[in-house]
Amino acid sequence: MDARSKLIDVAAFLDRVQRAGQEEDFRVVALKEAIGVLSQAEATRAKEVLLSFSDASAEPIAKATTQGACGAVPPK
């Protein structure tokens, strides 16, 4: 039942995003891509979802432009 309520929360969030016209926001795009991972048959879904939101770059940035995470890797 817990997973069901979380799924309904995600669906409601996506409905609000759509009504606000923010579907192209990179964080929403990343969320939708991560949702696609859930239908995979492999038992590595949690790992794949976590990695989909992670910044895989190896070089540190010269200076932070914000404080804190934004939820997904911004497009370059």
Side-chain angles (χ1 to χ4, degrees):
M1 294 307 284
D2 188 44
R4 180 179 178 264
S5 69
K6 289 177 182 179
L7 188 58
I8 293 169
D9 286 343
V10 171
F13 169 75
L14 291 174
D15 287 349
R16 290 190 301 273
V17 165
Q18 184 177 13
R19 285 194 299 271
Q22 298 296 315
E23 294 176 281
E24 300 306 316
D25 184 288
F26 72 94
R27 294 164 292 194
V28 176
V29 172
L31 178 63
K32 288 180 178 181
E33 289 173 1
I35 290 169
V37 171
L38 301 179
S39 62
Q40 294 179 356
E42 296 82 23
T44 58
R45 289 179 292 265
K47 175 185 172 185
E48 295 301 320
V49 167
L50 285 169
L51 289 174
S52 74
F53 294 121
S54 298
D55 185 349
S57 62
E59 293 296 318
I61 59 173
K63 181 179 177 184
T65 57
T66 62
Q67 291 182 335
C70 61
V73 180
K76 295 187 181 198

